[in-house]
Amino acid sequence: MKSCFLALATMFVMQMAMASSFEKVSEKIIFNGEKIFEYRLSNGLRILVLPRHQAKVLSYGIWFKVGSVDEKLDPKLKKTGLAHLFEHMMFRGTTKYPDPMFTELTSRMGAEGQNATTYYYRTNYFESIPSVELEKLMELESDRMRNLKIIKEGFEKEKGAVVGELRRHLDNPGSVAHDELMALAFEKAPFHWNVIGSEDEIRGFTLDEANYFYRTFYAPNNATIIAVGDIEPEKLVKLTVKYYGSMPAQELPTIAMPVEPEQEKERRKEVRHPQATSELLMMAYRIPPITSDEVVPLSLLSTHLSTGMEARLRKLLVDTGIAVSASGGPSSQPDVYLFSVRLTENRHADQALRVIDKELGSLQKAPISKEAFERALNQELLSLYSDISENASLGSFLGENLMLSGNYLRGFEIIESYRKTTSLDIQKAAAKYLRPENRSIVVVKPQGKTKRASQPPKGDKAP
Amino acid sequence: MILKIGVALLFILAQLAQKTAFSAAEPPMLFEEDPSLLTTSIQVIVRRGSAMDPEDKAGLSNFLSRLMLRGTKNRSREAFQSTLERLGGALWVSTNHDTVVFSGKVIRENTAAFLKLVSECLVEPALNKQEFELLKREITSEISYSKNRNAQLVGWAFRRSFFESSPLERPVNGTLSTVKKIKHKDIQPSYRSHFHKNNLVFAVASPFKDTDIRKQILEMWNAFPDGRHVAPTVVHPKLSDRPLLIVVHKPATSTGSIVMGQPGIVANDPNRYALMLANFAFGSEAFSSRLFKVIRSDLGWTYAIHSTYHSLGSLSHQPSPFVIASTPSVEFTVKTLFKTWAMWKDFIENGSKQAEIGLGKESLIHSYPFEFDSAEKRLSYKIRHLLYEVPILSPDEYAKTLESITVDQIKKAVQKQHHPNRWVMAVLADKTVIEKQLDQEQKDLPDDKRLKIHKVLSPEEVIQ
């Protein structure tokens, strides 16, 4: 299917651009009694706030609904890697706060865990600060969202650092296996390309492309502020109106995700990697998006297969000496059930594959035991409780759920879905999706001693 | 400078400062109660680590502790783990040179049953032969697999040279040859050396009052025999005044991995805060340090670069090496090494600038609340205070301590602790590439002034 570009209604955009008022959208109580408040400014900026006053600190994050998938599908870009490179550029300074003032000022206020990440479907920026510093931080964050200085010198230097990051990624056989697997499993969907891009793509991005990306996607109507900690919702909203309220909404491209054709037969690829000293098996079964109800039983199956000392894959592959580690579960994105097995030296991927196939065959014929189901459910609870125990991890939890599903409460609601799931549901889901003809397989093998692949030095200047 | 920290923190620190001691009547028990917690966490710290493993059986402490998770006298491994995990619990163990730490977490409603299982695991481990053989194969496979992990390989190569001929020379997990020598008959004596009353510290963060938990812990502790704690040998590496360069030869890497280190400090070193400020300015601060600004931001040679005094994990009885680590693109590997070294020499000679230290003071003082903003972090601080005498300062004391340190004092502390050239440098990359780059970068230097490769190790040699 062709990807298409649909403009939002002009009226809507103009209305957004008038800015500076807000509405309270909801006030939700989650299972442990804590409250999450949701607001939206008239320019479209969403705010989520969860007050916690045990310590005078808070975590602040801003999430943009843009990732590598969007750039690849955008007819003005058609490349991958700019979303990630741009995430680096956001630390390069503005007219008011030139590089390195942003990081110096946030450091001065005692910011902890400051960083940013880019993935297929979103980009986020985050830090934790003493709550008394909130207003200054919001001034800085809003300034770089609107007034970033994108100049050639900084852009080219940052490309050098990103190429370094890419090379580190490519030196890791596991990362290469994942890239190759997604390229094999998806022919049309942009998951075919990795998030960071190729070296040629990174070096080839232009300032015009960077400016287009910034002006288009770093818009208030494409962003959500998430604050968890020592903050009253009304105060956060007031500050958001002050610092973000005058930002005009932007016309966001509406890009249809190409429909990936049904997979009809198994796909396989073998890769030789110079850094690998033993084999690695990675498999991807195509499944519906993680937000689909159909994936709920598959998530529980993942805990059954991969969590803890009693995990089935551990018992079948690690305890038997076939593998060093083994896991299987649904990815947040791309939409696959991903298996990853690191083989013991001198063991082969085919052995692991036979074991997994036999186990999946059993799971499709009979439901897991009541005890195994109880184990999976309570391990999910333990994981959830750990995820939300600290301000920063709870902020991240809410953000990921919002970006994936549009529902920041999904991570809590899914526990109820787990409780309603039965062993039979798991059996049915395994039978429906974990079939050989629905999977792609990549095996990474050591390169052997015949090929000389070391890279000679390429000049003496940084890009 | 105004300290902007709330009253709540003062209360927390007052609690932290309550002295917990080692006594014959009961073990050190550290608690953090927070009714909002959804889980109970426990740490059982055994004050004996890998540094005391027999030289030819390095990795024994790690082996023993992992074997203890594989069943008890009353339950098979499957029955034990299955019961634990059905409770919504997890139990894991980590070993370092000074300690073995069993850590566990469970959903709050199952706290009592979980603590019983922890007790069963520690007091009545099965330590059976069949699981011993399975675990031996698993650990051996993991060590072999490390050849795929460049950061781990270069770290081990560094450690071997830095701590040469000392108990810290070998990795905590042991090497292929030392793990091979561990026999099942070594396990029981090792268990007895680790698990006696005077070696154990308990720490719990929970939503519940400590009364019931304290009772359960006391029962557990009373089941252990008496014993004598043996203080670990403190290692002070003696390094040459010329850098020692080790290369781990891995062909075809597109990234080089560099670890360079000098002798560091113990937790209660009198110059702890001065050196902390110095390190902030030189390399520890993620975006504002000199290393990041010059080598990452201005030159674009590396994605990651930083320096730390915590290279052996949290500060301990051992003076943990001061380490600078980076991962430059392969063509910039030797350039990064020389540039880092040159920046260090300049730092030693000229010290830091007032502005850098001012930034460091503000940053560290304002981020102090993050040391205590959750029950688990407060517990961790209490543990470090008890075991390693990490000072517990109120926010005011902390601010005053840092603010009183001058740029000149920092320079003197750095000069006293460190040396411009006393480095062990470990680099993982293709050795022929490194040799060419060393020639190129030093072509104008006389032979006797050049940095030369002291030793080339293969990945196989590193893990042997």
Side-chain angles (χ1 to χ4, degrees):
Chain A
M1 180 187 278
K2 287 178 186 175
S3 63
C4 62
F5 228 64
L6 297 174
L8 290 176
T10 311
M11 279 292 285
F12 175 72
V13 173
M14 287 184 65
Q15 192 181 10
M16 293 291 193
M18 283 154 53
S20 84
S21 63
F22 69 90
E23 63 165 333
K24 182 174 177 178
V25 177
S26 66
E27 180 180 327
K28 306 272 188 187
I29 300 176
I30 58 173
F31 71 98
N32 63 351
E34 291 184 304
K35 286 183 183 173
I36 303 177
F37 299 82
E38 181 182 357
Y39 299 85
R40 197 181 277 272
L41 299 199
S42 53
N43 62 6
L45 180 65
R46 189 200 298 249
I47 305 159
L48 297 178
V49 54
L50 190 150
R52 278 181 173 175
H53 299 292
Q54 288 95 330
K56 301 283 182 192
V57 295
L58 65 88
S59 288
Y60 183 92
I62 183 152
W63 296 68
F64 295 98
K65 186 84 181 73
V66 61
S68 61
V69 161
D70 304 278
E71 54 178 325
K72 191 72 190 181
L73 294 174
D74 189 326
K76 291 183 182 164
L77 295 169
K78 292 185 182 170
K79 285 184 273 192
T80 309
L82 183 56
H84 172 253
L85 173 59
F86 204 83
E87 170 218 308
H88 284 239
M89 287 303 295
M90 284 287 278
F91 292 86
R92 282 276 176 184
T94 65
T95 305
K96 186 174 179 186
Y97 297 111
D99 190 21
M101 279 189 77
F102 177 86
T103 49
E104 280 193 8
L105 287 168
T106 51
S107 176
R108 210 174 278 282
M109 62 178 73
E112 286 274 301
Q114 183 175 70
N115 215 330
T117 66
T118 308
Y119 204 46
Y120 291 100
Y121 53 93
R122 53 76 181 159
T123 307
N124 66 333
Y125 300 82
F126 50 90
E127 54 267 297
S128 295
I129 51 163
S131 45
V132 72
E133 302 286 359
L134 178 63
E135 178 160 5
K136 184 64 189 171
L137 177 70
M138 290 182 76
E139 191 214 333
L140 290 168
E141 284 287 8
S142 62
D143 180 52
R144 70 170 172 170
M145 181 170 156
R146 191 172 193 180
N147 303 313
L148 197 68
K149 215 162 69 178
I150 306 170
I151 55 171
K152 189 169 174 54
E153 189 191 0
F155 195 50
E156 295 304 316
K157 280 179 182 168
E158 209 52 53
K159 286 179 183 178
V162 173
V163 166
E165 190 178 355
L166 170 67
R167 289 183 178 183
R168 214 165 69 150
H169 173 89
L170 296 176
D171 273 352
N172 181 342
S175 306
V176 171
H178 188 271
D179 290 352
E180 293 285 355
L181 183 62
M182 292 310 123
L184 188 65
F186 293 96
E187 293 171 338
K188 297 202 167 180
F191 304 134
H192 182 88
W193 293 273
N194 72 4
V195 173
I196 196 170
S198 68
E199 189 161 336
D200 284 347
E201 282 176 313
I202 294 165
R203 293 204 188 280
F205 283 119
T206 65
L207 285 179
D208 284 347
E209 287 170 329
N211 273 304
Y212 162 75
F213 183 86
Y214 181 50
R215 294 292 162 211
T216 305
F217 294 106
Y218 280 55
N221 46 321
N222 200 36
T224 301
I225 289 170
I226 299 179
V228 179
D230 182 37
I231 177 70
E232 290 303 334
E234 297 76 17
K235 184 181 174 189
L236 181 70
V237 172
K238 199 174 152 190
L239 290 173
T240 309
V241 169
K242 180 176 175 183
Y243 290 106
Y244 293 84
S246 63
M247 291 181 190
Q250 298 296 326
E251 193 174 299
L252 291 170
T254 307
I255 302 170
M257 176 79 93
V259 174
E260 187 69 26
E262 286 287 316
Q263 188 166 337
E264 289 172 351
K265 62 178 183 180
E266 182 181 282
R267 301 169 191 169
R268 287 195 186 217
K269 185 171 184 183
E270 185 179 301
V271 179
R272 298 275 172 175
H273 193 289
Q275 300 303 308
T277 59
S278 54
E279 293 189 8
L280 194 153
L281 166 71
M282 244 185 220
M283 289 196 287
Y285 291 81
R286 295 265 306 280
I287 60 172
I290 189 86
T291 52
S292 159
D293 289 344
E294 284 197 84
V295 181
V296 171
L298 291 173
S299 296
L300 274 176
L301 176 62
S302 151
T303 310
H304 172 67
L305 290 175
S306 309
T307 302
M309 289 272 282
E310 277 303 291
R312 285 296 292 164
L313 292 178
R314 188 186 203 291
K315 295 183 86 161
L316 295 168
L317 292 168
V318 179
D319 287 356
T320 53
I322 295 172
V324 176
S325 66
S327 63
S331 298
S332 54
Q333 264 194 4
D335 307 329
V336 292
Y337 198 95
L338 188 67
F339 283 88
S340 175
V341 182
R342 296 173 194 278
L343 278 298
T344 307
E345 252 181 355
N346 303 320
R347 294 296 195 124
H348 298 291
D350 283 349
Q351 292 174 279
L353 189 55
R354 281 196 294 274
V355 171
I356 293 174
D357 279 346
K358 190 175 171 195
E359 178 65 8
L360 292 180
S362 303
L363 287 167
Q364 290 163 9
K365 283 183 197 133
I368 64 172
S369 68
K370 189 181 161 205
E371 290 77 17
F373 187 85
E374 185 188 6
R375 189 186 81 86
L377 185 61
N378 279 339
Q379 288 297 311
E380 284 292 339
L381 282 180
L382 180 65
S383 169
L384 170 70
Y385 293 170
S386 300
D387 277 346
I388 67 168
S389 63
E390 305 229 346
N391 295 344
S393 56
L394 175 54
S396 175
F397 181 83
L398 295 172
E400 291 293 358
N401 278 292
L402 178 69
M403 293 292 128
L404 271 169
S405 68
N407 174 14
Y408 58 88
L409 295 172
R410 179 184 162 273
F412 306 118
E413 292 168 355
I414 200 168
I415 292 296
E416 276 316 300
S417 303
Y418 287 152
R419 290 189 202 282
K420 289 177 190 159
T421 303
T422 65
S423 299
L424 196 60
D425 296 329
I426 295 176
Q427 183 188 344
K428 283 181 187 167
K432 184 171 179 184
Y433 293 108
L434 305 185
R435 296 172 286 112
E437 60 272 24
N438 191 37
R439 72 184 175 193
S440 302
I441 300 174
V442 165
V443 175
V444 175
K445 293 185 173 180
Q447 193 157 55
K449 293 180 180 173
T450 50
K451 189 168 178 183
R452 178 86 178 87
S454 62
Q455 295 184 354
K458 293 179 182 173
D460 61 356
K461 282 187 179 173
Chain B
M1 197 180 294
I2 301 166
L3 185 63
K4 301 164 179 172
I5 297 177
V7 178
L9 185 58
L10 287 168
F11 175 68
I12 289 162
L13 289 167
Q15 286 187 314
L16 278 178
Q18 288 169 3
K19 190 70 182 166
T20 306
F22 292 90
S23 86
E26 64 173 39
M29 287 186 273
L30 305 168
F31 288 98
E32 269 301 311
E33 183 198 329
D34 177 350
S36 72
L37 289 176
L38 298 168
T39 57
T40 291
S41 309
I42 184 168
Q43 286 188 58
V44 181
I45 299 130
V46 186
R47 294 191 300 151
R48 184 185 173 98
S50 64
M52 291 196 185
D53 291 345
E55 190 176 342
D56 62 337
K57 291 175 183 176
L60 180 57
S61 294
N62 172 64
F63 201 122
L64 163 72
S65 57
R66 288 179 59 176
L67 188 58
M68 289 173 67
L69 300 178
R70 293 173 169 240
T72 69
K73 287 181 177 156
N74 299 317
R75 296 177 216 247
S76 66
R77 170 186 159 188
E78 185 174 359
F80 175 77
Q81 285 293 341
S82 174
T83 308
L84 175 79
E85 291 173 4
R86 269 163 49 207
L87 290 175
L91 187 60
W92 63 98
V93 65
S94 59
T95 303
N96 70 23
H97 49 278
D98 276 354
T99 57
V100 172
V101 181
F102 286 82
S103 305
K105 190 176 262 197
V106 69
I107 55 177
R108 57 185 283 167
E109 54 268 38
N110 292 333
T111 296
F114 172 74
L115 289 176
K116 271 186 196 163
L117 280 177
V118 173
S119 175
E120 192 176 321
C121 162
L122 299 181
V123 176
E124 300 177 306
L127 307 177
N128 77 39
K129 182 88 165 50
Q130 188 188 350
E131 287 296 337
F132 172 89
E133 296 300 341
L134 285 174
L135 180 60
K136 190 167 187 174
R137 186 172 63 191
E138 192 174 317
I139 290 175
T140 304
S141 299
E142 287 167 3
I143 295 172
S144 290
Y145 196 81
S146 302
K147 286 185 288 181
N148 290 289
R149 297 188 166 117
N150 292 350
Q152 202 167 15
L153 276 180
V154 73
W156 285 0
F158 167 79
R159 186 182 185 116
R160 180 177 283 190
S161 295
F162 192 86
F163 291 115
E164 193 169 6
S165 305
S166 85
L168 301 188
E169 179 186 359
R170 295 167 299 277
V172 166
N173 292 357
T175 63
L176 287 181
S177 60
T178 62
V179 170
K180 190 176 177 184
K181 286 180 187 153
I182 296 173
K183 307 291 179 201
H184 186 245
K185 65 181 169 59
D186 299 321
I187 295 297
Q188 273 295 348
S190 178
Y191 175 74
R192 286 193 294 274
S193 305
H194 283 81
F195 286 87
H196 57 74
K197 281 183 174 160
N198 210 22
N199 252 8
L200 303 174
V201 173
F202 298 85
V204 178
S206 169
F208 306 117
K209 297 272 179 211
D210 67 21
T211 323
D212 290 341
I213 296 172
R214 190 178 286 274
K215 195 176 156 196
Q216 274 191 282
I217 288 176
L218 206 54
E219 275 175 24
M220 188 189 324
W221 184 73
N222 277 324
F224 291 106
D226 290 326
R228 189 175 66 83
H229 171 66
V230 181
T233 308
V234 175
V235 177
H236 295 282
K238 296 274 182 265
L239 305 186
S240 154
D241 283 352
R242 293 194 63 174
L244 194 70
L245 176 60
I246 315 296
V247 172
V248 180
H249 174 51
K250 256 204 151 182
T253 58
S254 59
T255 307
S257 294
I258 302 175
V259 174
M260 48 197 287
Q262 297 206 341
I265 54 171
V266 291
N268 56 358
D269 188 288
N271 283 324
R272 166 192 170 93
Y273 296 108
L275 293 172
M276 191 168 85
L277 284 166
N279 187 37
F280 180 98
F282 184 73
S284 76
E285 173 65 355
F287 296 99
S288 305
S289 70
R290 286 189 188 185
L291 285 179
F292 187 93
K293 276 185 187 170
V294 173
I295 298 178
R296 154 80 193 260
S297 198
D298 291 348
L299 296 169
W301 288 349
T302 181
Y303 171 63
I305 187 160
H306 78 286
S307 60
T308 179
Y309 281 101
H310 296 253
S311 53
L312 290 178
S314 188
L315 288 173
S316 75
H317 295 299
Q318 304 291 346
S320 186
F322 169 72
V323 157
I324 303 172
S326 57
T327 53
S329 289
V330 72
E331 63 266 37
F332 301 121
T333 301
V334 169
K335 280 182 174 299
T336 299
L337 185 75
F338 280 127
K339 185 69 184 174
T340 305
W341 185 14
M343 287 173 67
W344 176 253
K345 284 193 270 196
D346 176 70
F347 191 69
I348 293 244
E349 189 180 335
N350 299 313
S352 41
K353 296 188 176 103
Q354 189 69 49
E356 291 174 312
I357 298 305
L359 172 63
K361 286 177 180 179
E362 269 197 72
S363 180
L364 293 169
I365 291 169
H366 288 155
S367 62
Y368 196 50
F370 293 106
E371 301 268 348
F372 311 102
D373 70 333
S374 72
E376 289 189 13
K377 285 189 196 172
R378 291 193 289 277
L379 198 61
S380 169
Y381 216 93
K382 284 180 176 178
I383 294 167
R384 281 182 282 149
H385 176 63
L386 177 75
L387 293 179
Y388 306 125
E389 296 165 27
V390 173
I392 293 183
L393 302 179
S394 72
D396 274 345
E397 289 168 336
Y398 185 75
K400 279 179 190 159
T401 303
L402 261 56
E403 286 187 18
S404 69
I405 299 170
T406 65
V407 168
D408 194 46
Q409 284 171 328
I410 291 169
K411 185 177 171 184
K412 282 180 182 156
V414 170
Q415 287 175 342
K416 184 181 169 200
Q417 176 66 39
H418 293 295
H419 190 277
N421 302 319
R422 201 175 289 153
W423 290 104
V424 169
M425 299 166 165
V427 175
L428 183 146
D430 188 317
K431 70 171 175 160
T432 55
V433 172
I434 298 301
E435 284 164 351
K436 279 182 197 165
Q437 291 182 5
L438 283 169
D439 283 346
Q440 174 68 25
E441 292 295 316
Q442 301 181 103
K443 62 180 185 294
D444 299 328
L445 287 179
D447 190 61
D448 64 331
K449 300 279 184 200
R450 290 185 176 195
L451 176 66
K452 291 176 182 165
I453 297 174
H454 173 70
K455 196 189 291 178
V456 177
L457 294 168
S458 66
E460 287 76 16
E461 286 172 308
V462 174
I463 64 170
Q464 266 306 328

